[in-house]
Amino acid sequence: EKAGVDWYVRESQISRLKNIIRRSLKKINFPENEVSAAAYSLSFCVAKISYEKDCDERREKGIMSVNKTQKNLFEKVWRERE
């Protein structure tokens, strides 16, 4: 069973993912002036998919329903990063 804060709301993990994406984009000669925006967009999409998958798994297992606090935390973390 997982414990603690999920990766998609931890600043260090979000930054790590964005750096991996940035490096990958630069390796394939992605336009330099669009790398940061693309890294943000891709990391947000991955985080949102992961968040939704975690919510679905919790509902299926009956462990807990997704409460507004958890949803607000996800939205707050990602809104601050824009």
Side-chain angles (χ1 to χ4, degrees):
E1 191 63 38
K2 285 188 350 183
V5 179
D6 294 311
W7 74 265
Y8 43 79
V9 293
R10 291 185 58 204
E11 293 293 329
S12 62
Q13 295 302 311
I14 293 168
S15 295
R16 184 170 180 245
L17 176 62
K18 285 176 68 176
N19 286 333
I20 291 168
I21 293 170
R22 273 191 205 101
R23 284 194 302 269
S24 298
L25 291 173
K26 287 178 181 181
K27 282 182 184 178
I28 62 167
N29 297 320
F30 199 80
E32 189 68 35
N33 60 339
E34 297 177 15
V35 168
S36 289
Y40 173 82
S41 181
L42 287 169
S43 60
F44 175 76
C45 289
V46 170
K48 187 155 179 76
I49 290 168
S50 183
Y51 167 75
E52 290 170 351
K53 185 175 184 268
D54 283 353
C55 292
D56 290 344
E57 287 176 359
R58 288 181 186 132
R59 278 191 214 104
E60 287 174 6
K61 291 179 182 177
I63 295 172
M64 65 178 248
S65 62
V66 178
N67 59 34
K68 289 185 178 181
T69 305
Q70 184 181 12
K71 185 176 181 183
N72 290 343
L73 177 60
F74 177 82
E75 291 173 356
K76 178 183 178 220
V77 167
W78 284 93
R79 194 175 315 120
E80 288 173 357
R81 295 188 129 301
E82 291 184 302

